[in-house]
Amino acid sequence: MATRTQNRQSNRTASRNSSRSESSDARGRRDNRSAFSWGDGAGPVIAAALGGVAIGLAANYGRKALMQGLEAAAGDWDEILATEHDLALAVFDKMLATDESQTFKRKMLLMKLTHALDKHAHQEEMVVYPALREANEKADADQLEGEHGYIKTFIYELKNMGPSAPNWLEKVREFRALVSKHAHMEEEEVFPSFKESMTDEQNRKVTGLVNADGFWMA
Ligand SMILES: [Fe+2]
Ligand SMILES: [Fe+2]
């Protein structure tokens, strides 16, 4: 009578033999498959996905190039930033022309405004304000950057109150007043004297940096 140990051994031998009977083709396929391999037939799917990513990246690059190209055409760094102020104020006016039944439109306009102000603030905070501090205009740079904090606070409040809130228009009106005052200080006081104090080459450098930063934020 076979013992339990003998039975286990004969089972292992049988399993080894059945492995040996596997065709060398199938074994080759199995051995080539690492833990990270893709199933048979995945090639075209992966190629299509990678192609899609490449097209997406190219389209995004094209969109950014178009957006920033249009802005660069506005001129020097201060003119680019002034154009962005006008665009943001125009979005505010569209928001103020809505009523509380237009919740979808209000949400879309707030998204557009958030993106525009975010990109704009990034260009100023990463290029213009540091350049101002470097030129010993720390007080102006700090005041303006502090106001950007309150601009973000308005966005936070509007998102939290929702587009059908009874005081939505009042909040947008207060928000617009802050942005308008802030833009006025930049356009009428700080930027002209800063531009005047720099050489043409320094101004060109700031314009290039604003454009480069704006490209990635577009
Ligand atoms: Fe600003
Ligand atoms: Fe600005």
Side-chain angles (χ1 to χ4, degrees), residues 52-126:
V53 169
I55 290 166
L57 286 175
N60 198 31
Y61 190 91
R63 182 187 60 77
K64 282 166 174 280
L66 179 67
M67 291 301 296
Q68 204 56 34
L70 288 173
E71 287 203 345
D76 292 347
W77 62 272
D78 58 321
E79 291 158 330
I80 294 170
L81 296 173
T83 302
E84 291 182 357
H85 291 157
D86 291 345
L87 287 172
L89 292 172
V91 179
F92 274 113
D93 291 339
K94 284 187 181 169
M95 291 166 91
L96 290 171
T98 60
D99 63 53
E100 62 189 43
S101 71
Q102 295 172 293
T103 54
F104 181 74
K105 190 170 183 184
R106 283 182 171 186
K107 269 189 196 173
M108 290 297 109
L109 288 169
L110 182 59
M111 266 176 61
K112 192 174 175 177
L113 181 71
T114 303
H115 178 70
L117 290 176
D118 206 27
K119 173 182 178 288
H120 180 79
H122 201 271
Q123 293 168 129
E124 291 181 340
E125 289 173 14
M126 299 303 281

Side-chain angles (χ1 to χ4, degrees), residues 148-168:
H148 282 192
Y150 288 93
I151 287 172
K152 290 182 178 80
T153 303
F154 268 111
I155 293 172
Y156 170 85
E157 288 173 349
L158 278 169
K159 280 184 179 161
N160 277 341
M161 70 167 53
S164 54
N167 58 337
W168 194 85

Side-chain angles (χ1 to χ4, degrees), residues 21-36:
S21 68
E22 192 179 28
S23 77
S24 61
D25 231 26
R27 216 165 41 242
R29 276 203 305 275
R30 189 197 61 222
D31 293 347
N32 280 338
R33 193 171 293 163
S34 79
F36 298 100

